[in-house]
Amino acid sequence: MNLDSTRAEARMGFAQWCSLVALLAAATICWQLRELLIQLFAAVVLCVALSGLVSGIEQRLKIKRWQALFMALGLIILLVTLLVSQLVPPFIEQFKELLDQLPKAATYLTGLGDNYFIKMGQNTNLNLGGGVKPILGFVGNIGAAALQSLFVLAVTVMLAAQPKSYYQVAVSLAPSFYRKKFALVLDRCGLALKSWMFGVLLSSICVGLLAFFGLSLLGVKLTIANGILAGLLNVIPNVGPTIGTIFPMAVAVLESPWKAAAVLVLYIIIQNLESYVITPSVMHHQLRLLPGLTLAAQVGFTLIFGPLGLILALPMAVCFQVLIRDLLINDLLDGWKRPLGT
């Protein structure tokens, strides 16, 4: 009897060690494929947004899924084209005017460029490679980003065309005894992502309206365009609002320096209101997402996944919150019983 129990314990110990090795191997593989995984997650987030529009068109017009998908894509392309056509030409005109009113700066920059190329020509053997390599690296990064964007968009369209089929594949990857619970967890992640999108929409509308009214009070041109731009860039945490400050300041400096300084102060106030009041309040109301967790997610996911991790930090935090609550806390920790006699 003791021999049988010893053998059983040995088999259990061997199985546990095999499970640990398999877990470590899976973690290593996921770490090596983290760039692919973050791109797939980006496609899932975009699919959740696109599927809502496709489902609405499909139900209202009583048409097939693929027809609704093409209509939704056409509508998105039309809106993006109209937005770009309304935003880009005024900014180009304003920047041309800015360069015309700042001839000294342009002359100075031109002189720096001439001096650089003269020095590079005098030291061809030493500096030619150093001058060409950064350019080639920059072009290569742009090409890689373009290919990654095309990959994400292609996967998004594929997922949106047959969401139920891919959902069933994801559920089937779980053990048979856990598929029902795993399907429930995936549904909750989807609802959490939709709530996050609604929260981002509310936050962006607030930021856009604040920028519009603030620039209108200051008398800065292109208030509607700058307001829309501020709302769109608000989707990118921390970096987006900073980039959005450049355009209205460039427009304001054409009139007077004090307006540019006033625009900077205005956007600092708006960014602080968005970071410490609007977004935490909206996200806490929509998702019960703690501000500290939001900040930690932005830092952690940026270190792991890079710039794309910063953009997707909040949706990943939302999904991780659901996974930790349903899988770790409810299924593991809440059912963890203290051994007898301790």
Side-chain angles (χ1 to χ4, degrees):
M1 190 72 177
N2 293 332
L3 182 60
D4 292 337
S5 62
T6 302
R7 290 177 178 176
E9 291 178 358
R11 287 195 296 268
M12 291 178 60
F14 179 73
Q16 290 175 350
W17 278 108
C18 289
S19 300
L20 178 60
V21 171
L23 181 62
L24 292 176
T28 303
I29 294 173
C30 290
W31 177 260
Q32 296 296 327
L33 299 176
R34 62 185 183 277
E35 292 187 3
L36 176 61
L37 294 177
I38 190 66
Q39 293 170 20
L40 292 176
F41 182 76
V44 170
V45 173
L46 292 177
C47 176
V48 171
L50 181 60
S51 294
L53 179 60
V54 173
S55 299
I57 295 175
E58 183 182 8
Q59 293 174 2
R60 288 182 178 274
L61 300 181
K62 305 298 182 181
I63 57 178
K64 295 182 179 179
R65 178 80 183 184
W66 66 269
Q67 294 174 330
L69 177 61
F70 277 107
M71 289 186 64
L73 292 175
L75 180 61
I76 293 173
I77 293 173
L78 178 62
L79 291 176
V80 171
T81 303
L82 291 175
L83 185 62
V84 171
S85 64
Q86 293 297 317
L87 288 177
V88 174
F91 280 129
I92 293 177
E93 183 180 353
Q94 291 291 327
F95 282 125
K96 287 182 179 178
E97 187 178 351
L98 176 63
L99 292 177
D100 292 338
Q101 293 191 12
L102 297 174
K104 294 182 179 179
T107 304
Y108 177 72
L109 291 175
T110 304
L112 288 179
D114 293 339
N115 292 332
Y116 172 75
F117 285 110
I118 290 173
K119 292 180 179 179
M120 187 176 68
Q122 293 173 351
N123 302 286
T124 304
N125 294 331
L126 294 176
N127 296 332
L128 184 59
V132 173
K133 287 182 179 179
I135 296 175
L136 294 177
F138 179 71
V139 174
N141 290 334
I142 292 178
L147 290 177
Q148 291 175 2
S149 300
L150 290 176
F151 171 75
V152 170
L153 292 176
V155 176
T156 299
V157 174
M158 293 177 186
L159 292 176
Q162 297 177 309
K164 293 182 180 179
S165 299
Y166 290 101
Y167 173 83
Q168 292 174 356
V169 170
V171 172
S172 64
L173 294 176
S176 58
F177 67 91
Y178 204 74
R179 285 172 186 167
K180 185 176 181 180
K181 177 61 181 293
F182 189 64
L184 180 61
V185 172
L186 289 180
D187 292 336
R188 289 176 178 173
C189 287
L191 292 175
L193 284 176
K194 291 179 181 179
S195 299
W196 167 78
M197 291 177 184
F198 183 71
V200 169
L201 179 62
L202 288 179
S203 177
S204 298
I205 290 174
C206 292
V207 169
L209 290 176
L210 288 174
F212 170 76
F213 287 118
L215 294 174
S216 299
L217 292 175
L218 294 175
V220 179
K221 298 178 182 179
L222 300 176
T223 53
I224 296 178
N226 282 308
I228 295 174
L229 191 63
L232 292 176
L233 291 175
N234 182 64
V235 177
I236 306 175
N238 301 324
V239 179
T242 304
I243 298 175
T245 310
I246 298 174
F247 300 99
M249 286 186 64
V251 175
V253 79
L254 295 172
E255 301 178 18
S256 61
W258 74 264
K259 276 194 176 183
V263 169
L264 178 61
V265 174
L266 171 67
Y267 271 68
I268 290 174
I269 294 173
I270 292 175
Q271 187 172 355
N272 280 276
L273 286 174
E274 184 273 333
S275 299
Y276 298 105
V277 179
I278 298 174
T279 297
S281 300
V282 171
M283 291 302 172
H284 182 69
H285 178 73
Q286 290 292 123
L287 303 167
R288 304 299 177 185
L289 194 61
L290 298 176
L293 179 60
T294 301
L295 181 60
Q298 292 176 3
V299 175
F301 290 133
T302 303
L303 293 175
I304 296 173
F305 299 107
L308 191 57
L310 174 62
I311 298 175
L312 298 174
L314 287 181
M316 280 194 290
V318 165
C319 291
F320 270 99
Q321 181 176 252
V322 174
L323 295 175
I324 291 173
R325 182 185 64 241
D326 290 353
L327 299 183
L328 180 62
I329 297 178
N330 293 344
D331 290 356
L332 181 61
L333 298 182
D334 286 352
W336 202 333
K337 297 181 179 179
R338 178 181 296 181
L340 297 175
T342 59

